[in-house]
């Protein structure tokens, strides 16, 4: 699993900082999560292939999370895209995007499929034999969802030495990797555990931006490997987080501790602070395993 941070600041773009956008690569999928202004420039800087993006997840309709989307959709057209593009986001996103396309007489030459969201309960948005993606209902000033990405269990690995020792024919290999026991000609049945090795652990990633501290969130994200949680403010500006329905670094760390996650990544920083290291210091008072998102930073898990 690879996470590329394209932008991780709140509100407006600046010379050296970008609003929210990131790319998650998981089991041969490349998912774009939020699309703030300047996202396509950041994609190029990070040498991420536009053609590999087929699913875009928009958390909410505040500009710092989707103002880059119309330009990206237009660029896909100019690049000659013909594959389907799926956009998942709040109700209204289709109207916003198609109005711009209509006024500019620049309809896409590829299928643009919108999946508009209204449910306040967790909802499966995407599923195949490798990955599931579901919404994480959040508490912000407008209708907002985070997204939970989970790998499905990998196949068990063949223990080649054991398979050879029992002289098992290759015709059984697929079933063995699928977890089945193997009957032998002499009447014995070899348990699958003797013929296979445990696969790598399936990974999970929870993306939570933007939201006020939401205690019941822990139930859905309990035990995830990686939690990205917004930390717009420090505790010294807690009054602003309440007013704007954002979270502090301390609250993000509290959520990570409550949900027993493996690692916490902080992001969505207010630009009022001179150093984002302050966010890490505040969070580590509550939760030990804290990382800072930075524009251009790549996490490999």
């Amino acid at each position: 699993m690879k996470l590329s941070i394209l932008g991780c600041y709140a509100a407006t773009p600046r010379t050296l900082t970008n609003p929210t956008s990131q790319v998650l690569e998981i089991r041969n999928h490349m998912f774009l999560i939020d699309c703030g202004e300047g996202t396509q420039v950041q994609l190029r800087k990070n040498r991420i292939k536009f053609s590999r993006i087929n699913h875009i997840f928009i958390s909410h309709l505040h500009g710092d999370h989707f103002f880059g989307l119309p330009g990206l959709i237009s660029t896909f057209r100019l690049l000659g895209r013909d594959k389907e593009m799926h956009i998942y986001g709040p109700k209204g996103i289709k109207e916003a995007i198609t109005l711009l396309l209509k006024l500019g007489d620049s309809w896409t030459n590829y299928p643009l499929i919108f999946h508009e969201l209204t449910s306040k309960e967790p909802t499966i948005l995407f599923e195949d034999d490798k990955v599931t993606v579901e919404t994480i209902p959040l508490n912000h000033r407008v209708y907002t969802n985070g997204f939970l990405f989970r790998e499905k269990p990998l196949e068990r690995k063949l223990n080649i030495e054991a398979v050879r020792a029992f002289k098992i024919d290759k015709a059984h290999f697929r079933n063995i990797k699928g977890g089945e026991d193997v009957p032998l000609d002499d009447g014995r049945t070899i348990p699958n555990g003797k013929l296979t090795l445990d696969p790598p652990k399936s990974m999970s990633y929870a993306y939570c931006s933007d939201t006020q501290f939401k205690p019941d969130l822990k139930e859905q994200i309990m035990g995830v490997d990686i939690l990205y949680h917004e930390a717009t403010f420090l505790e010294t500006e807690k009054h602003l987080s309440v007013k704007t329905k954002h979270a502090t670094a301390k609250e993000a760390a509290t959520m990570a501790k409550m949900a027993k996650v493996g690692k916490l990544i902080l992001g969505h920083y207010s630009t009022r602070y001179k150093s984002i290291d302050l966010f890490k210091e505040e969070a580590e008072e509550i939760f030990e395993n804290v990382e800072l998102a930075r524009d251009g930073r790549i996490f490999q898990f």
Side-chain angles (χ1 to χ4, degrees):
M1 191 166 70
K2 178 181 177 182
L3 178 67
S4 299
I5 305 296
L6 305 182
C8 59
Y9 286 79
T12 59
R14 297 188 302 170
T15 307
L16 298 175
T17 64
N18 296 275
T20 301
S21 185
Q22 53 186 246
V23 169
L24 181 69
E25 296 180 57
I26 178 171
R27 299 287 292 278
N28 295 322
H29 289 293
M30 182 176 279
F31 296 127
L32 179 63
I33 309 170
D34 275 338
C35 190
E37 201 172 339
T39 290
Q40 60 178 311
V41 175
Q42 289 296 97
L43 287 170
R44 292 191 186 280
K45 283 184 177 179
N46 287 271
R47 298 182 180 181
I48 295 172
K49 291 185 178 180
F50 284 47
S51 61
R52 289 192 59 202
I53 299 172
N54 299 314
H55 301 270
I56 301 175
F57 300 87
I58 302 297
S59 61
H60 63 297
L61 297 183
H62 280 164
D64 56 336
H65 292 259
F66 93 106
F67 276 178
L69 186 57
L72 183 59
I73 287 172
S74 177
T75 294
F76 281 130
R77 173 177 177 267
L78 295 174
L79 293 175
R81 182 186 181 96
D82 56 13
K83 293 188 299 182
E84 290 183 351
M85 173 62 70
H86 293 263
I87 311 289
Y88 308 81
K91 184 175 177 58
I93 193 169
K94 180 178 180 179
E95 179 183 4
I97 298 300
T98 54
L99 177 59
L100 292 174
L101 298 178
K102 176 183 177 181
L103 293 175
D105 192 20
S106 55
W107 298 105
T108 63
N109 50 1
Y110 58 91
L112 186 59
I113 303 169
F114 291 92
H115 305 263
E116 293 198 305
L117 311 176
T118 58
S119 176
K120 294 184 179 180
E121 299 295 326
T123 304
I124 297 289
L125 301 182
F126 173 85
E127 182 173 15
D128 64 6
D129 60 340
K130 298 176 181 177
V131 179
T132 62
V133 186
E134 66 180 46
T135 60
I136 304 174
L138 299 176
N139 181 17
H140 192 39
R141 300 193 308 279
V142 297
Y143 175 76
T144 304
N145 286 300
F147 303 103
L148 178 57
F149 301 82
R150 291 188 185 276
E151 283 186 313
K152 290 189 174 179
L154 294 158
E155 283 188 329
R156 297 185 64 80
K157 291 188 174 182
L158 281 177
N159 184 336
I160 297 299
E161 291 183 2
V163 168
R164 287 173 177 169
F166 286 107
K167 298 180 180 179
I168 293 174
D169 191 272
K170 290 182 179 180
H172 293 285
F173 284 7
R174 179 178 293 276
N175 291 337
I176 293 172
K177 289 195 291 184
E180 293 185 16
D181 299 334
V182 177
L184 299 182
D185 293 338
D186 60 10
R188 290 181 297 159
T189 297
I190 309 303
N192 187 268
K194 289 187 176 182
L195 301 173
T196 58
L197 303 171
D198 291 338
K201 181 181 181 296
S202 298
M203 299 291 289
S204 54
Y205 174 63
Y207 170 84
C208 297
S209 182
D210 302 6
T211 185
Q212 195 171 36
F213 180 64
K214 192 172 183 282
D216 63 341
L217 186 63
K218 69 175 183 180
E219 304 300 333
Q220 187 179 1
I221 66 172
M222 183 64 67
V224 299
D225 295 289
I226 314 296
L227 168 64
Y228 176 95
H229 197 291
E230 76 125 287
T232 308
F233 299 105
L234 298 175
E235 280 292 303
T236 49
E237 283 69 48
K238 176 71 176 290
H239 61 288
L240 294 178
S241 72
V242 173
K243 179 181 178 181
T244 59
K245 287 201 168 184
H246 281 294
T248 66
K250 180 179 179 180
E251 289 173 329
T254 300
M255 177 53 61
K257 184 176 182 179
M258 290 169 57
K260 301 178 182 179
V261 307
K263 184 188 294 292
L264 169 65
I265 301 176
L266 299 177
H268 201 264
Y269 319 109
S270 168
T271 55
R272 69 179 52 240
Y273 302 102
K274 292 183 179 180
S275 173
I276 63 173
D277 291 333
L278 298 171
F279 291 88
K280 191 172 192 290
E281 292 171 9
E282 181 172 288
E284 285 181 333
E285 294 179 3
I286 304 294
F287 186 77
E288 186 177 78
N289 199 356
V290 180
E291 298 283 357
L292 293 176
R294 299 179 189 271
D295 292 4
R297 184 171 183 185
I298 295 174
F299 296 91
Q300 295 268 184
F301 306 108

